[in-house]
Amino acid sequence: MDAPAIRWGVLGPGGIARDWTAALHATTASRVTAIGSRSLDRAQAFAADFGVERSHGSYAELVADDGIDAVYVASPHSEHREHALLALAAGKPVLVEKAFTRNAAEAADVIDSARERGLLAVEAMWTRFLPHIDVVRRCLEDGVLGDIRAVEADHGQLLYPDGPRRLAAPELAGGALLDLAIYPISFAYFVLGGFAAVQATGTLTETGVDAGETVAVVGPRDAIGTLGSTMLAKTPCAASVSGTAGRLEIDGWFYQPNTVRLIDTDDRELDRYDSPSREHGLAYEAAEFARLLTAGKSESDLLPLDETLRIMQILDDIRAQLGVAFPGEG
C-alpha cells in the first residue's frame, strides 16, 4: 500500500486479469481505470465487477486512453508480442504476463521496442516479487547456505484434457512448459545465477503440445537442478535449495506467498519465515512496477529484461528438445 498510486489499463479480461485486479484493488493504492477487450460486452462486464471507469471494445482504444499510466497485458501467450508492441507504440509502459511471449525472438522484439522508446517493461513473473522469495534472495547473498549444490522444484496441475482449451492448442502456445514449467525454471535460474547446461525429456499430447517435462540443469558453478512440470496431475509444487551449510525448503505452491524454512545439515529447523498473507500475491509485482515507473526506471533489478530474454531462450531450447513447435513462429 506504500507504493505510489498509478492508473492501469488492463488488456484482456480473462481469469488472470480478474485475479490481478482484485489483488491490486485490495492491497495497493493503484487502480484499474480502463479495461480493453475485443468484446465490448466482456469489457463492460469486467468494469462492472471491479468498478472500472472506462470500457473499450478494442485493444487499440485501450492503449490510446489518456487516463492510464501503464498497460497490464493479460492476453494469451500467443498474443503477448502483438499486444505489448501495440501498447509501447502508444507510449504506454507494459507489465506483460508470463510467459513473456511465445519465444525468444518475440521477446527480443518487445524488449527492443521498450528500450528504443525508453519505456518501462517488466515480465509479470509474480513469484520474483514476493516477500518469501526476497528471504531466499537474502540468504543466497549472505551465504547462509554455504556453497549452493542443488535446487529442486516442481509444478504440476490437473489441467488436461478437461482444463482450458488453450492449453491443448498449439496455435495458442499451449502446453505445460509456458504455463507451469516456467515457474520452477525461473526459480532455479534465479537461485543458480543462470544455467550452463539444460537437458529435457517429456511427453506430448495428441495435439502436439507438451503434457509434461523433466528438466535437468547445471549452474555456472556446477550446482545441479531437477525441475519438473505436468498438466496431467497435481504434484506437491514444492521447492528446495541445498548448500554445504544447510538448505531452504518452501512448502507446496512454492511460487505463491509461502513459508520458507532454514534446515541445517542434521535436518533440524533453525529458523522460518511466514509470509504475512497468502492472499493477493499478484499485487507485489504491480507495486514494484509502480515504484519503478514513478522513479523513471525502464526495467526491474529483480527481473531484468536480459534475464527474461535468456529464460525465453531456454524455453525455446527445451521445446526443441521435446519436438514442440507453434504454428507461425517462423
Side-chain angles (χ1 to χ4, degrees):
M1 193 63 76
D2 292 336
I6 67 172
R7 302 168 301 172
W8 285 95
V10 170
L11 191 155
I16 188 64
R18 287 181 164 273
D19 291 344
W20 186 88
T21 300
L24 185 83
H25 287 183
T27 60
T28 81
S30 294
R31 289 293 178 269
V32 173
T33 56
I35 172 69
S37 172
R38 291 192 176 100
S39 163
L40 182 58
D41 288 343
R42 288 191 69 204
Q44 290 174 336
F46 186 102
D49 288 344
F50 293 101
V52 175
E53 299 170 10
R54 295 180 301 285
S55 306
H56 297 290
S58 76
Y59 298 139
E61 291 177 11
L62 173 73
V63 301
D65 191 320
D66 291 334
I68 61 174
D69 303 309
V71 172
Y72 171 52
V73 177
S75 50
H77 317 307
S78 53
E79 312 301 317
H80 285 180
R81 175 189 177 275
E82 176 188 347
H83 295 157
L85 291 177
L86 183 71
L88 291 167
K92 299 299 195 300
V94 290
L95 176 65
V96 183
E97 189 51 57
K98 59 83 197 156
F100 195 67
T101 50
R102 290 188 302 176
N103 55 46
E106 292 183 352
D109 288 345
V110 175
I111 291 168
D112 288 347
S113 178
R115 286 175 169 167
E116 287 168 5
R117 292 173 168 81
L119 293 171
L120 175 63
V122 178
E123 179 188 0
M125 170 47 75
W126 62 301
T127 306
R128 289 293 189 96
F129 307 97
L130 296 176
H132 76 290
I133 298 300
D134 187 57
V135 171
V136 176
R137 181 182 295 106
R138 289 167 185 254
C139 287
L140 295 172
E141 291 174 350
D142 294 344
V144 171
L145 304 180
D147 296 329
I148 302 302
R149 294 302 185 207
V151 57
E152 296 183 2
D154 76 280
H155 189 192
Q157 305 290 343
L158 183 54
L159 297 173
Y160 183 87
D162 298 323
R165 187 189 72 82
R166 67 176 182 82
L167 290 175
E171 67 274 15
L172 297 178
L177 187 68
L178 298 189
D179 259 273
L180 303 177
I182 188 172
Y183 283 105
I185 289 168
S186 181
F187 177 76
Y189 191 99
F190 149 68
V191 168
L192 299 180
F195 300 153
V198 178
Q199 185 68 44
T201 186
T203 59
L204 307 185
T205 70
E206 61 272 19
T207 62
V209 300
D210 60 299
E213 48 272 316
T214 297
V215 182
V217 302
V218 179
R221 290 174 289 279
D222 295 332
I224 60 171
T226 305
L227 317 170
S229 74
T230 179
M231 59 181 185
L232 303 181
K234 175 68 176 69
T235 66
C237 300
S240 66
V241 181
S242 300
T244 54
R247 71 180 183 272
L248 297 176
E249 293 184 351
I250 307 176
D251 291 343
W253 305 85
F254 76 90
Y255 51 89
Q256 297 187 8
N258 217 314
T259 296
V260 182
R261 296 188 303 276
L262 174 62
I263 311 295
D264 71 11
T265 54
D266 292 319
D267 287 331
R268 295 172 299 193
E269 183 177 302
L270 302 180
D271 202 356
R272 65 189 292 138
Y273 170 83
D274 293 304
S275 292
S277 172
R278 300 207 176 192
E279 293 185 306
H280 302 312
L282 290 166
Y284 288 98
E285 64 184 7
E288 173 67 4
F289 191 99
R291 293 187 192 98
L292 294 168
L293 185 62
T294 303
K297 303 291 186 180
S298 59
E299 59 185 286
S300 170
D301 291 336
L302 298 178
L303 184 51
L305 290 173
D306 286 344
E307 187 168 333
T308 287
L309 178 59
R310 179 61 186 133
I311 290 172
M312 289 306 311
Q313 291 168 340
I314 291 164
L315 297 177
D316 284 356
D317 179 29
I318 292 170
R319 280 202 294 121
Q321 291 184 47
L322 297 177
V324 175
F326 299 138
E329 283 189 286

